[in-house]
Amino acid sequence: QAKAGAPGTRENSEAPSTLLGILQIRAHDQPGDKWLVIERRVYDISRWAQRHPGGSRLIGHHGAEDATDAFRAFHQDLNFVRKFLQPLLIGELAPEEPSQDGPLNAQLVEDFRALHQAAEDMKLFDASPTFFAFLLGHILAMEVLAWLLIYLLGPGWVPSALAAFILAISQAQSWCLQHDLGHASIFKKSRWNHVAQKFVMGQLKGFSAHWWNFRHFQHHAKPNIFHKDPDVTVAPVFLLGESSVEYGKKKRRYLPYNQQHLYFFLIGPPLLTLVNFEVENLAYMLVCMQWADLLWAASFYARFFLSYLPFYGVPGVLLFFVAVRVLESHWFVWITQMNHIPKEIGHEKHRDWASSQLAATCNVEPSLFTNWFSGHLNFQIEHHLFPRMPRHNYSRVAPLVKSLCAKHGLSYEVKPFLTALVDIVRSLKKSGDIWLDAYLHQ
């Protein structure tokens, strides 16, 4: 095999005939030294990763891997993105080389790509403007309704509790709408999605769109993978999946993990949004100097406090804000984790795109209420396989995904709504018991 020249140079980009083996590529998965494969072409992203719009961590998680399906899943205009890749081209896989040396089902990869193309041909990536206009409209209507309740009925306990509940629902639905925009699943132009996401995430929620995308895209790239998916990298507070055995064997006991299914109710659902997200979001904006996002977030707090300060005063409006955030946080934890925590959680397995997404996700039985209440995240399998697909089309692609899973013997798990919620607690208890057993006997 010919040797690759200096990585990432223009001369190499014009000589894609350089043939590389997968073992050569595997050696380049270190900080500051990253290669990856897209459509059998090999790119050196070592220096360019810091300029990647999705962040260096996101693209770095695919170091030394075939990132073809991730590349197609995350980007709207592939031809446009390929222009940025061209200067990074250093060669291509030799014809006899597989796309990667990990566990790869070539037929599954081929069938999934055919399914993706079928979904495109069926126009399942085209959004309904009416659907999303209604979503925004009903969010704004709830914001106005909550204020009118206090304005007309006064700041008593009953109107305040009802207003907080309505605002929490509005905040939950805003999470869903900004999530759609972050995945560029509403507008055909990425820029329009980004601008609209800043408005929803900043003005309607008080958070940074860049912060959310930074952590959420990593979750999609490597779901339920330790140190790559921020959603499951929660040790030493909670132990999930393979970390239970590891902590037990190493005799680590920072908390009573065999009781984590109980203290979860105290520090999980009540505090995630109010404490963890607020601190993490602010730190991200300051450290990464996202001043525009900071102004958007400030506009939310200015609107909220100016709207309710005349009714409650400073202590009262702070308490009202905390109540909304705590209610919203319960929704966030239960709805977003019912599809993931009960599934396989562990270290990198270097699977193909479809296998890795299916191993980490499950669905919840659909209904008009569940679809709306969860923002269609009850179709988590379809969402993870096709993150750019507008959510109102998940039910249309679901039968095709089921057929793919049946053909390849893959699990397509669908649970009742309440069962999915209970399974979060069951999974935490199971992990805690595994930790205790390993701690005492190994």
Side-chain angles (χ1 to χ4, degrees):
Q1 290 176 332
K3 293 183 179 180
T9 61
R10 174 66 62 179
E11 292 75 17
N12 287 316
S13 69
E14 295 172 353
S17 58
T18 302
L19 300 181
L20 297 166
I22 194 67
L23 293 181
Q24 290 174 279
I25 296 166
R26 271 281 182 239
H28 297 273
D29 186 21
Q30 303 297 325
D33 179 20
K34 296 278 186 180
W35 292 6
L36 56 74
V37 179
I38 297 176
E39 297 166 337
R40 297 194 64 82
R41 293 192 162 203
V42 184
Y43 300 92
D44 182 351
I45 61 167
S46 304
R47 293 190 292 272
W48 182 81
Q50 295 296 331
R51 291 154 47 203
H52 180 242
S56 60
R57 286 191 187 180
L58 174 62
I59 194 169
H61 290 338
H62 294 284
E65 289 185 355
D66 181 358
T68 301
D69 292 305
F71 173 73
R72 293 174 178 172
F74 286 123
H75 300 100
Q76 281 183 300
D77 189 342
L78 298 183
N79 290 328
F80 176 76
V81 180
R82 287 187 183 105
K83 295 177 182 178
F84 293 90
L85 286 175
Q86 187 61 29
L88 311 176
L89 181 64
I90 59 173
E92 60 185 27
L93 282 176
E96 69 277 7
E97 288 284 349
S99 294
Q100 64 182 64
D101 64 349
L104 177 68
N105 184 332
Q107 188 60 53
L108 172 60
V109 172
E110 181 180 340
D111 289 347
F112 173 73
R113 291 174 183 174
L115 172 56
H116 193 286
Q117 185 59 53
E120 290 185 347
D121 295 341
M122 295 169 64
K123 307 296 184 184
L124 296 185
F125 289 91
D126 293 350
S128 166
T130 303
F131 177 86
F132 288 106
F134 169 78
L135 290 179
L136 177 60
H138 96 299
I139 289 169
L140 298 177
M142 284 189 283
E143 294 282 330
V144 173
L145 177 60
W147 185 85
L148 285 175
L149 277 172
I150 306 302
Y151 177 76
L152 296 174
L153 302 180
W157 282 105
V158 174
S160 296
L162 185 56
F165 182 73
I166 293 172
L167 285 175
I169 296 175
S170 173
Q171 288 292 294
Q173 291 300 310
S174 295
W175 275 119
C176 299
L177 183 57
Q178 73 82 26
H179 175 250
D180 298 319
L181 291 161
H183 282 297
S185 63
I186 298 180
F187 298 106
K188 290 187 179 296
K189 291 187 177 294
S190 294
R191 179 171 179 77
W192 295 358
N193 286 292
H194 296 329
V195 171
Q197 187 191 20
K198 285 179 179 292
F199 167 76
V200 176
M201 194 59 159
Q203 166 54 220
L204 297 184
K205 291 205 57 60
F207 288 101
S208 163
H210 282 95
W211 161 77
W212 171 260
N213 292 341
F214 169 75
R215 63 172 291 133
H216 189 63
F217 291 168
Q218 293 183 74
H219 161 71
H220 269 271
K222 295 292 182 178
N224 285 13
I225 301 298
F226 291 141
H227 311 301
K228 294 187 176 183
D229 179 358
D231 290 358
V232 298
T233 307
V234 293
V237 179
F238 294 103
L239 300 184
L240 304 174
E242 295 174 4
S243 65
S244 303
V245 176
E246 295 171 4
Y247 268 59
K249 287 182 176 179
K250 295 178 181 179
K251 308 300 181 184
R252 293 178 178 174
R253 183 173 182 165
Y254 304 111
L255 288 168
Y257 297 120
N258 56 313
Q259 302 297 324
Q260 66 177 359
H261 62 292
L262 298 178
Y263 67 71
F264 165 77
F265 288 94
L266 299 177
I267 64 176
L271 301 181
L272 178 69
T273 301
L274 177 65
V275 178
N276 185 65
F277 276 7
E278 291 281 5
V279 172
E280 186 181 315
N281 171 69
L282 180 60
Y284 179 89
M285 290 190 290
L286 294 176
V287 171
C288 298
M289 295 182 289
Q290 294 292 342
W291 308 127
D293 283 8
L294 189 61
L295 288 175
W296 274 115
S299 73
F300 162 80
Y301 287 100
R303 173 179 61 84
F304 187 93
F305 283 92
L306 289 175
S307 296
Y308 293 101
L309 194 63
F311 305 112
Y312 293 105
V314 174
V317 76
L318 288 172
L319 181 62
F320 186 61
F321 173 77
V322 168
V324 173
R325 278 289 192 248
V326 168
L327 289 171
E328 166 199 356
S329 187
H330 276 83
W331 174 91
F332 189 96
V333 171
W334 291 105
I335 294 300
T336 63
Q337 297 310 306
M338 65 181 179
N339 310 89
H340 292 300
I341 284 185
K343 300 296 288 184
E344 178 184 318
I345 301 174
H347 295 284
E348 178 66 82
K349 304 294 192 301
H350 296 291
R351 293 173 169 136
D352 59 82
W353 176 263
S355 296
S356 64
Q357 304 299 328
L358 286 162
T361 56
C362 66
N363 281 2
V364 174
E365 292 176 353
S367 69
L368 288 176
F369 171 77
T370 306
N371 294 352
W372 166 77
F373 188 66
S374 69
H376 287 81
L377 292 180
N378 52 318
F379 288 95
Q380 196 71 227
I381 292 173
E382 287 71 23
H383 172 56
H384 265 257
L385 290 175
F386 310 104
R388 289 187 299 104
M389 182 177 290
R391 57 166 126 152
H392 53 73
N393 287 332
Y394 292 158
S395 60
R396 295 179 60 191
V397 79
L400 303 180
V401 175
K402 289 179 184 177
S403 297
L404 178 74
C405 292
K407 177 179 179 180
H408 292 277
L410 298 171
S411 173
Y412 184 95
E413 186 177 10
V414 183
K415 302 178 181 180
F417 181 61
L418 293 179
T419 299
L421 299 180
V422 172
D423 278 352
I424 295 176
V425 181
R426 288 173 179 161
S427 297
L428 289 170
K429 186 178 188 307
K430 179 180 178 182
S431 296
D433 290 343
I434 291 173
W435 166 81
L436 183 61
D437 182 69
Y439 184 86
L440 295 175
H441 302 110
Q442 296 189 34

